[in-house]
Amino acid sequence: MSVTLTEAAARHVTRYISKRGRGVGVRLGVKTTGCSGLAYKLEYADEVAPEDVVFEGHGVKILIDPKSLPYLDGTELDFVREGLNEGFKFRNPREKDRCGCGESFRI
């Protein structure tokens, strides 16, 4: 099992953690919500919990709770700028469908 992030995502996370003055990486997970059933959760993490599964890429730690890992296996986290918008993008090969508003997905 693995979860990765692009250089662009790693640069963004590193810059943000530096501005915050604390943090060990990002915590990625899923929650039940939306039209299709699941939505991504992403937050900055200040510590590694004992149950976290830890992946690292480009010097950034990605922390995932064990319940979310089967839904996220193979996912690549990217940071993209499209016109005036910018944000994280999830490339999950396990996604079968995504709702029209882009808020949730189905495995």
Side-chain angles (χ1 to χ4, degrees):
M1 297 209 157
S2 74
V3 175
T4 59
L5 75 166
T6 64
E7 279 188 58
R11 276 194 309 272
H12 181 76
V13 170
T14 301
R15 266 194 312 266
Y16 189 80
I17 287 174
S18 179
K19 283 182 188 177
R20 282 179 83 219
R22 67 184 191 283
V24 296
V26 291
R27 186 175 306 282
L28 177 59
V30 295
K31 62 183 177 181
T32 305
T33 190
C35 330
S36 296
L38 297 169
Y40 296 106
K41 297 187 307 186
L42 182 68
E43 60 188 15
Y44 290 92
D46 292 331
E47 59 186 41
V48 178
E51 68 274 6
D52 284 337
V53 178
V54 181
F55 298 98
E56 190 165 341
H58 305 287
V60 173
K61 284 184 172 65
I62 307 167
L63 314 173
I64 301 176
D65 68 273
K67 290 180 184 177
S68 295
L69 189 55
Y71 301 105
L72 298 171
D73 184 31
T75 298
E76 179 185 61
L77 180 61
D78 195 6
F79 188 80
V80 296
R81 288 189 172 95
E82 295 170 344
L84 297 175
N85 298 318
E86 64 180 20
F88 287 102
K89 185 172 200 158
F90 304 91
R91 294 189 183 104
N92 186 342
R94 301 178 59 86
E95 272 189 33
K96 300 267 189 278
D97 192 23
R98 185 172 271 274
C99 73
C101 66
E103 180 70 24
S104 61
F105 68 98
R106 184 174 56 83
I107 299 285

